[in-house]
Amino acid sequence: MPDQPSSSSTPLSQLPKALTGIEGLDEITEGGLPLGRPTLVCGSAGCGKTLLGIEFLVRGILDYDEPGVLMAFEETAAELAANVASLGFDLPQLQADKKLRLDHVHIDRSEIDETGEYDLEGLFIRLGYAIDSIGAKRVVLDTIESLFSGFSNEALLRSEIRRLFRWLKDKGVTTVITAERGEGTLTRQGLEEYVSDCVILLDNRVIDQVTTRRLRIVKYRGSTHGTNEYPYIITEDGISVLPVTSLKLEHKVSDEVISTGVADLDAMFRRGGLYQGSSTLITGTAGTAKTTLGAAFALAACQRGERTMLFAFEESPAQLLRNMATVGLDLVPFVDSGLLRIEASRPTLNGLERHLVTIHRLIGQFKPHTVIIDPISNLISVGSISEVQSMLTRLVDFLKVQGINALFTALISGGRGQQEIAQEGISSLVDTWIHVRDLEGVGERNRGISILKARGMGHSNQVREFVVTEQGIRLLDVLVGPGGIITGASRLTQHIQEQAQQIAAGQEAERRDRELERKRRVLEATIANLRTEFETVEEELRLVNSAEQQRQQTLTEDRRQLGQNFSARPPDSANGSGA
């Protein structure tokens, strides 16, 4: 009977990879480029192919102690060193340290004297020597079209391309080969993409006068990878690719509750505030105090001792600090102490990708606990709705993974585009959505606030009127009249009417009390008169009874006396009286 496979069999080994050290690229490739295999980087002019190759070498040397060889067919070593010096890459020093070998190979078709078949044997010898001289682990060939300009025989060209890629595999070095994009093909020869183990396509496009670079992994043998187009930018620190930071939504959560900065607003949440590390969106029309609510959130965070960063796209730091001070939100001491940092710029200063990378970099440097962005709706001026939504998705996800308290404000002015950004684009991503709006009364406008959603927490369904005073934001009690919620001057009128009704009710109560007191006194007087009459009658009856008793006693005494007198008379007298 054949043996059954064990349920605890040894898992298959994963494809070994070499980390690039390029921000975001290792996340997309799920660990880097294939170790010991060639990777093709293709694209049109100006998309950063050469820079990606050089950064791959430099990061390998500095971060992973892997020496590298750069063989260039267009630019000289001095030109390459000068080009990347502004990025902080010191190529001459790396060469002096025997960590990097730069080799410029000049090939000019017009200077080639054909005396026989042209092949790459000389290149293999030259490249092999460079690799062995420093023990290189990484190699970059830039660009391969110049190398193939010496081939007039297409069949021989294809054979040599395959031989080059096989030679690099046999050498066991992790290689990046750059190539120019062809017409309808990824490369001009149309063959390199088929013999490469990994193909990365760089694209530089202009849409609505805005330049955007995109990166896509066309194929990756033996490994899963991100298949979307990912924006990337070239900054003073090199290349930054912007992937979604957490595709599996595995970030940690907290049960701790923090304040919004407005005590009355905290009371509208069942647990008395927002969850630590959650994201909050405040939407509303112009003039509904969205920035003030954001500043109150920042002040509360600073008062808790948390490092806070505020990105402002409409006001300068000085203007923002002045305006908030007039409503009782004094942020200046926290700015001076370094606990609060305000970064202000116009959205049009950078493209969306550069804004995102800048936010990432500043957060990485400052390491805040709380981040406020005011307002995100302004970003629509530098990108389409879908691009802004993609950028905000990455930003919200990044902040969640970092466990940062995030608050975003968004302007809704009635335009469909801005409504989509605030409502459809990000409202489904955030944990809490607070909406502020105008409440139109009789000839006036007032402000109202409501909570549209709060994940994992009960909350009030009321629309509360609020006012911005010199002591900050204060929510008013809900006052409902026959026509709905009463606000503003109508609230004052209602209050006056209620006071008048209370006064009238009090006066009526006093009148009834006085009437009751009068009746009580009348009743008491009547009772006193009746008591007096009763006493008089009682006295008369007593006198009558006393006189009657006296008469009865006198009568009784007379009878007794008469009886005694009759008994004491002599008998003769009795007889004589009868003769």
Side-chain angles (χ1 to χ4, degrees), residues 30-278:
E30 298 185 7
L33 304 182
L35 182 65
R37 300 186 183 187
T39 295
L40 178 67
V41 178
C42 51
S44 56
C47 61
K49 301 183 299 295
T50 302
L51 178 59
L52 187 146
I54 294 177
E55 187 168 357
F56 169 71
L57 291 178
V58 174
R59 300 296 182 194
I61 295 171
L62 299 179
D63 299 341
Y64 310 111
D65 194 25
E66 295 184 358
V69 172
L70 172 59
M71 182 165 284
F73 303 103
E74 291 184 344
E75 297 177 281
T76 65
E79 291 172 341
L80 289 171
N83 292 342
V84 298
S86 60
L87 304 178
F89 300 160
D90 191 352
L91 300 189
Q93 182 61 46
L94 295 177
Q95 292 182 84
D97 296 337
K98 305 297 183 182
K99 295 292 186 180
L100 176 66
R101 182 71 180 266
L102 285 179
D103 194 356
H104 175 242
V105 179
H106 177 70
I107 299 177
D108 191 338
R109 183 70 181 87
S110 63
E111 296 178 2
I112 297 178
D113 184 13
E114 291 194 22
T115 57
E117 291 294 343
Y118 180 82
D119 60 30
L120 299 180
E121 193 61 38
L123 174 69
F124 295 157
I125 296 173
R126 189 166 179 173
L127 183 56
Y129 173 76
I131 292 172
D132 296 337
S133 65
I134 61 173
K137 302 294 184 182
R138 303 186 179 204
V139 172
V140 172
L141 301 180
D142 181 54
T143 64
I144 199 171
E145 280 76 22
S146 299
L147 179 64
F148 294 150
S149 63
F151 290 91
S152 57
N153 187 331
E154 185 174 349
L156 180 62
L157 167 62
R158 291 178 173 272
S159 174
E160 288 300 294
I161 289 177
R162 289 190 178 93
R163 193 159 75 98
L164 171 63
F165 278 76
R166 174 50 57 187
W167 184 89
L168 291 169
K169 280 189 177 182
D170 294 341
K171 198 67 177 176
V173 290
T174 305
T175 308
V176 170
I177 301 174
T178 65
E180 295 179 3
R181 193 168 185 178
E183 294 292 336
T185 58
L186 294 178
T187 61
R188 290 186 180 181
Q189 311 303 330
L191 179 65
E192 298 94 317
E193 57 264 37
Y194 295 101
V195 296
S196 300
D197 289 84
C198 179
V199 178
I200 299 176
L201 175 63
L202 304 182
D203 186 24
N204 188 16
R205 66 190 70 165
V206 179
I207 302 175
D208 295 333
Q209 302 180 0
V210 177
T211 300
T212 304
R213 292 184 171 95
R214 292 286 189 272
L215 178 148
R216 179 167 65 92
I217 300 176
V218 179
K219 79 171 186 179
Y220 198 139
R221 286 175 180 161
S223 174
T224 58
H225 56 85
T227 57
N228 297 327
E229 281 193 330
Y230 298 96
Y232 71 96
I233 65 171
I234 299 174
T235 69
E236 59 273 12
D237 298 320
I239 292 179
S240 294
V241 188
L242 310 175
V244 176
T245 54
S246 178
L247 296 175
K248 297 183 179 180
L249 296 176
E250 295 177 343
H251 52 271
K252 297 180 180 179
V253 296
S254 172
D255 290 331
E256 183 181 351
V257 174
I258 60 173
S259 172
T260 62
V262 180
D264 295 332
L265 181 57
D266 291 340
M268 295 182 68
F269 294 93
R270 181 168 297 175
R271 296 198 59 184
L274 306 172
Y275 282 123
Q276 170 75 33
S278 64

Side-chain angles (χ1 to χ4, degrees), residues 179-395:
E180 295 179 3
R181 193 168 185 178
E183 294 292 336
T185 58
L186 294 178
T187 61
R188 290 186 180 181
Q189 311 303 330
L191 179 65
E192 298 94 317
E193 57 264 37
Y194 295 101
V195 296
S196 300
D197 289 84
C198 179
V199 178
I200 299 176
L201 175 63
L202 304 182
D203 186 24
N204 188 16
R205 66 190 70 165
V206 179
I207 302 175
D208 295 333
Q209 302 180 0
V210 177
T211 300
T212 304
R213 292 184 171 95
R214 292 286 189 272
L215 178 148
R216 179 167 65 92
I217 300 176
V218 179
K219 79 171 186 179
Y220 198 139
R221 286 175 180 161
S223 174
T224 58
H225 56 85
T227 57
N228 297 327
E229 281 193 330
Y230 298 96
Y232 71 96
I233 65 171
I234 299 174
T235 69
E236 59 273 12
D237 298 320
I239 292 179
S240 294
V241 188
L242 310 175
V244 176
T245 54
S246 178
L247 296 175
K248 297 183 179 180
L249 296 176
E250 295 177 343
H251 52 271
K252 297 180 180 179
V253 296
S254 172
D255 290 331
E256 183 181 351
V257 174
I258 60 173
S259 172
T260 62
V262 180
D264 295 332
L265 181 57
D266 291 340
M268 295 182 68
F269 294 93
R270 181 168 297 175
R271 296 198 59 184
L274 306 172
Y275 282 123
Q276 170 75 33
S278 64
S279 54
T280 302
L281 172 67
I282 300 177
T283 60
T285 55
T288 49
K290 299 182 299 297
T291 301
T292 305
L293 287 167
F297 187 70
L299 179 61
C302 292
Q303 291 172 342
R304 292 193 300 268
E306 299 176 357
R307 297 169 70 87
T308 304
M309 177 167 283
L310 193 155
F311 294 92
F313 292 138
E314 290 184 334
E315 297 179 277
S316 67
Q319 181 181 1
L320 181 64
L321 294 174
R322 182 203 64 188
N323 294 346
M324 294 303 104
T326 61
V327 293
L329 303 176
D330 189 5
L331 301 174
V332 175
F334 300 105
V335 173
D336 295 340
S337 66
L339 201 60
L340 173 62
R341 182 173 176 179
I342 301 176
E343 293 289 334
S345 64
R346 288 293 182 188
T348 52
L349 176 65
N350 299 310
L352 290 175
E353 290 77 20
R354 194 169 189 87
H355 274 300
L356 183 55
V357 170
T358 300
I359 292 173
H360 277 229
R361 186 181 73 253
L362 293 175
I363 290 176
Q365 294 172 353
F366 190 63
K367 294 180 172 53
H369 296 87
T370 300
V371 169
I372 298 100
I373 299 181
D374 175 50
I376 58 172
S377 48
N378 279 21
L379 296 173
I380 197 174
S381 61
V382 290
S384 66
I385 293 175
S386 61
E387 289 174 336
V388 175
Q389 291 175 355
S390 176
M391 179 262 195
L392 293 176
T393 300
R394 291 174 169 86
L395 178 58

Side-chain angles (χ1 to χ4, degrees), residues 264-552:
D264 295 332
L265 181 57
D266 291 340
M268 295 182 68
F269 294 93
R270 181 168 297 175
R271 296 198 59 184
L274 306 172
Y275 282 123
Q276 170 75 33
S278 64
S279 54
T280 302
L281 172 67
I282 300 177
T283 60
T285 55
T288 49
K290 299 182 299 297
T291 301
T292 305
L293 287 167
F297 187 70
L299 179 61
C302 292
Q303 291 172 342
R304 292 193 300 268
E306 299 176 357
R307 297 169 70 87
T308 304
M309 177 167 283
L310 193 155
F311 294 92
F313 292 138
E314 290 184 334
E315 297 179 277
S316 67
Q319 181 181 1
L320 181 64
L321 294 174
R322 182 203 64 188
N323 294 346
M324 294 303 104
T326 61
V327 293
L329 303 176
D330 189 5
L331 301 174
V332 175
F334 300 105
V335 173
D336 295 340
S337 66
L339 201 60
L340 173 62
R341 182 173 176 179
I342 301 176
E343 293 289 334
S345 64
R346 288 293 182 188
T348 52
L349 176 65
N350 299 310
L352 290 175
E353 290 77 20
R354 194 169 189 87
H355 274 300
L356 183 55
V357 170
T358 300
I359 292 173
H360 277 229
R361 186 181 73 253
L362 293 175
I363 290 176
Q365 294 172 353
F366 190 63
K367 294 180 172 53
H369 296 87
T370 300
V371 169
I372 298 100
I373 299 181
D374 175 50
I376 58 172
S377 48
N378 279 21
L379 296 173
I380 197 174
S381 61
V382 290
S384 66
I385 293 175
S386 61
E387 289 174 336
V388 175
Q389 291 175 355
S390 176
M391 179 262 195
L392 293 176
T393 300
R394 291 174 169 86
L395 178 58
V396 171
D397 191 69
F398 169 73
L399 296 174
K400 278 183 173 290
V401 171
Q402 299 296 321
I404 295 174
N405 305 316
L407 185 140
F408 309 93
T409 68
L411 173 67
I412 300 177
S413 61
R416 179 60 183 165
Q418 289 180 337
Q419 286 183 356
E420 287 180 352
I421 287 236
Q423 297 178 7
E424 299 173 13
I426 189 176
S427 61
S428 62
L429 301 175
V430 298
D431 301 302
T432 304
W433 184 4
I434 299 172
H435 183 58
V436 287
R437 59 176 177 169
D438 288 326
L439 300 176
E440 296 188 11
V442 181
E444 63 180 11
R445 289 178 179 267
N446 300 289
R447 298 184 178 102
I449 188 169
S450 59
I451 302 172
L452 299 187
K453 83 168 184 178
R455 285 176 178 158
M457 185 181 298
H459 56 88
S460 171
N461 63 350
Q462 293 180 329
V463 178
R464 299 279 298 275
E465 182 184 2
F466 72 96
V467 293
V468 180
T469 68
E470 295 181 354
Q471 288 75 40
I473 295 176
R474 182 170 62 89
L475 272 63
L476 306 180
D477 294 333
V478 176
L479 187 60
V480 180
I485 299 175
I486 299 176
T487 62
S490 298
R491 174 187 289 271
L492 179 59
T493 302
Q494 179 72 14
H495 181 64
I496 294 173
Q497 291 176 351
E498 290 178 353
Q499 284 185 331
Q501 291 175 356
Q502 291 177 354
I503 293 174
Q507 292 175 344
E508 178 64 18
E510 291 179 357
R511 187 192 64 79
R512 288 195 300 267
D513 289 342
R514 289 194 301 270
E515 180 67 17
L516 181 62
E517 178 65 20
R518 184 186 65 78
K519 290 182 177 181
R520 185 185 63 81
R521 289 196 300 267
V522 170
L523 180 59
E524 289 178 350
T526 302
I527 293 172
N529 292 333
L530 292 174
R531 182 177 290 111
T532 302
E533 292 178 2
F534 177 79
E535 290 176 352
T536 302
V537 172
E538 184 182 32
E539 181 64 24
E540 290 178 353
L541 289 175
R542 187 184 304 112
L543 293 176
V544 170
N545 290 337
S546 177
E548 181 64 21
Q549 289 177 0
Q550 184 66 32
R551 189 183 67 81
Q552 290 293 335

